[in-house]
Amino acid sequence: MKAGAGGGAVTTRPAAKPGRSLVWLQGLACGALATLATPLAVLLGVLLLPGLCVLLIDRMPGKPVARTMLLCGAAASVTPAWRLWDHGLTMENSLDLLSDVFTLGLAWAATAAGWLVAEVAPVFVHLLLEGTSRRRDAELRAARARYEAEWGIPPADADMAEP
């Protein structure tokens, strides 16, 4: 406790962690959605189930694989959610949409495509960067050889010519 300007004791609270109230509000909004729109929550929960499972087990910081899977699955879940909204938010309509093999298969296939993109994209980026750096290295070596020949400089040692 600190003494205030008027001589009274003033209590100070530790500063709250930033973003904690936002997480609480997001949880409250999610609970309200699940309560007020249960058929929509069931539909989206089943359509996004593979991504939600990966969200629980993904240990990488930022959960990039789970985020990519959920994003692709959510893109495929927009149309079924819209159809449910148009035909009435009833559990019967929700279960009808879930019993459609094409709807469920499309959402889960999009989620699988998101997983494939998340796993394969780093390999392609690595290959692209490696190829670009090798091309640039060859260009610089050719320019060096051209300058050495033009200026009459003896070629570099064998150590420096090839790594």
Side-chain angles (χ1 to χ4, degrees):
M1 288 215 240
K2 295 181 181 179
V10 177
T11 59
T12 58
R13 293 185 187 166
K17 292 182 181 177
R20 296 296 281 171
S21 63
L22 183 61
V23 171
W24 182 81
L25 287 175
Q26 287 172 342
L28 184 64
C30 185
L33 175 68
T35 302
L36 299 175
T38 304
L40 183 62
V42 167
L43 177 70
L44 292 177
V46 172
L47 292 178
L48 298 174
L49 186 63
L52 294 173
C53 290
V54 171
L55 185 67
L56 294 174
I57 62 173
D58 193 2
R59 295 194 183 271
M60 292 186 66
K63 301 187 183 284
V65 175
R67 287 174 39 204
T68 306
M69 289 176 68
L70 285 171
L71 183 64
C72 292
S77 301
V78 170
T79 302
W82 190 301
R83 269 192 273 160
L84 178 64
W85 192 271
D86 276 348
H87 297 302
L89 282 172
T90 64
M91 191 58 81
E92 180 182 351
N93 289 341
S94 177
L95 294 176
D96 283 343
L97 285 169
L98 287 174
S99 66
D100 181 19
V101 175
F102 180 73
T103 302
L104 191 62
L106 181 65
W108 286 11
T111 304
W115 172 80
L116 187 64
V117 165
E119 294 295 330
V120 172
V123 174
F124 284 132
V125 169
H126 176 73
L127 290 175
L128 178 72
L129 292 175
E130 183 72 23
T132 303
S133 65
R134 285 181 186 246
R135 181 186 52 82
R136 182 69 178 144
D137 181 51
E139 289 173 357
L140 291 173
R141 288 184 188 277
R144 180 178 179 161
R146 194 173 58 246
Y147 290 141
E148 287 173 348
E150 182 180 324
W151 295 341
I153 301 172
D157 294 345
D159 307 352
M160 296 185 63
E162 284 295 321

